[in-house]
Amino acid sequence: MVAFLGMGLLGSNFVKAMINKGMQVQVWNRTHSRAAAMEAYGAKAFENVADAVKGADRVHITLKDDASVDEVLAAASAGLKPGAIIIDHTTTSAEGAIQRTQAWKERGFIYQHAPVFMGPQNALESTGNMLVSGDQAVIAQLEPELSKLTGKVMNFGPEPGKAAGIKLIGNLFLVTFTAGLSDTLSLAKGLNIQLSEITTLFDSWNPGAMLPARLKRMTSGNYSEPSWELNMARKDTQLFLNAAEQNGAHLAVIPAIAKEMDRWIAKGQGSQDWTIIAKDNIPA
């Protein structure tokens, strides 16, 4: 018996996949109609969250943030079965994951944070990536179950908050990447470049494929043999800014990058490879 709390796009598709695998699932959502809608797929919906978790060996959660996870688990606690394991797929702070792991351990329960890089379709198809860290004995126990819900379970070791931190890093990249694409589209619109032409460019030239090599170069510590000098990268960045201003295009990301380039040029690093802007940010 499994309970699932939070029937958003991700949670509801997780539940559908669980039911398709023959699991009995009890569901709850703050807006009850969303939970009730899952009964058409074979779930059992409850208006009270404590009732929803009664008898469940595993309690899965997909909610909004730390505060909502704490609030819902507090309300559910009265119905938790002794020995039930809480598996939280919510994107939260690392500190919150650590605190909940310890707090629920003190109450006699296992809390396992397991955030995901999965969209709703991934949840339905059991594909994508699920991240875990913490007590390795607990993870070894849960991994066979969790692997059925996702394409890959990525274990980041014994630190309880590590998976939460990795998820934030991944999401930061996605936000930055998407904001950069937004700037790209804005400048293209200002320059009267058609969407079909942008698509043609990126169908043939895929800068995303450069990511592993770019990360390696940025973190190598060697910037003295540039493939693109910082001064030249800054020159091109100014061309972006000028074209945007002349054509009424709004750029959200590029102005901040220009300031960072200027900071490094002012330090006398203009002739170095432009990836030197990451030098002070590299983890040990």
Side-chain angles (χ1 to χ4, degrees):
M1 178 70 70
V2 174
F4 211 112
L5 313 180
M7 291 295 99
L9 295 175
L10 192 66
S12 59
N13 275 2
F14 263 131
V15 168
K16 292 174 188 176
M18 288 176 171
I19 292 170
N20 289 340
K21 291 176 173 62
M23 301 171 70
Q24 292 180 299
V25 189
Q26 302 178 167
V27 299
W28 172 89
N29 194 75
R30 195 183 304 273
T31 301
H32 180 63
S33 59
R34 290 189 176 183
M38 299 307 298
E39 293 194 327
Y41 299 93
K44 186 174 182 180
F46 291 83
E47 291 194 47
N48 185 289
V49 67
D51 291 336
V53 302
K54 285 181 179 177
D57 299 301
R58 305 287 185 265
V59 178
H60 291 260
I61 311 170
T62 54
L63 297 172
K64 180 182 178 181
D65 52 21
D66 287 289
S68 60
V69 171
D70 289 336
E71 177 187 353
V72 169
L73 285 180
S77 60
L80 286 173
K81 174 183 178 180
I85 296 177
I86 301 163
I87 304 171
D88 184 6
H89 305 293
T90 309
T91 299
T92 70
S93 67
E95 294 82 2
I98 293 168
Q99 184 275 328
R100 278 184 291 278
T101 300
Q102 182 60 35
W104 284 98
K105 182 177 181 180
E106 291 172 357
R107 297 180 65 170
F109 294 93
I110 292 172
Y111 168 92
Q112 178 61 56
H113 193 220
V116 298
F117 288 118
M118 298 170 67
Q121 192 64 29
N122 296 115
L124 184 62
E125 297 172 352
S126 300
T127 59
N129 293 279
M130 186 175 292
L131 318 180
V132 292
S133 67
D135 188 322
Q136 294 297 290
V138 171
I139 290 172
Q141 176 187 351
L142 293 177
E143 191 163 6
E145 302 171 37
L146 297 180
S147 64
K148 295 176 183 178
L149 303 179
T150 184
K152 184 176 183 180
V153 177
M154 303 176 69
N155 185 349
F156 287 96
E159 297 180 34
K162 183 69 73 173
I166 296 291
K167 177 62 193 296
L168 293 181
I169 294 300
N171 278 11
L172 183 149
F173 180 83
L174 290 175
V175 168
T176 306
F177 180 71
T178 302
L181 279 177
S182 179
D183 273 12
T184 301
L185 293 171
S186 182
L187 183 57
K189 183 178 180 181
L191 293 174
N192 198 32
I193 294 171
Q194 303 303 304
L195 180 59
S196 61
E197 294 170 318
I198 301 171
T199 301
T200 297
L201 170 64
F202 289 122
D203 280 346
S204 299
W205 174 63
N206 178 13
M210 304 176 188
L211 196 153
R214 180 57 52 85
L215 181 61
K216 183 177 180 180
R217 183 175 184 89
M218 291 177 73
T219 58
S220 68
N222 178 18
Y223 309 101
S224 61
E225 299 176 0
S227 62
W228 195 17
E229 288 188 1
L230 177 57
N231 283 328
M232 296 302 291
R234 180 63 180 88
K235 180 268 295 182
D236 284 10
T237 301
Q238 192 59 46
L239 290 175
F240 313 153
L241 292 167
N242 292 345
E245 183 177 5
Q246 293 163 9
N247 293 280
H250 171 70
L251 300 182
V253 176
I254 291 299
I257 295 173
K259 289 181 180 179
E260 184 64 7
M261 289 177 167
D262 288 342
R263 187 173 75 86
W264 280 92
I265 290 171
K267 292 162 61 172
Q269 304 298 322
S271 63
Q272 301 292 300
D273 190 89
W274 82 288
T275 58
I276 197 170
I277 63 173
K279 182 179 178 181
D280 293 342
N281 301 327
I282 300 170

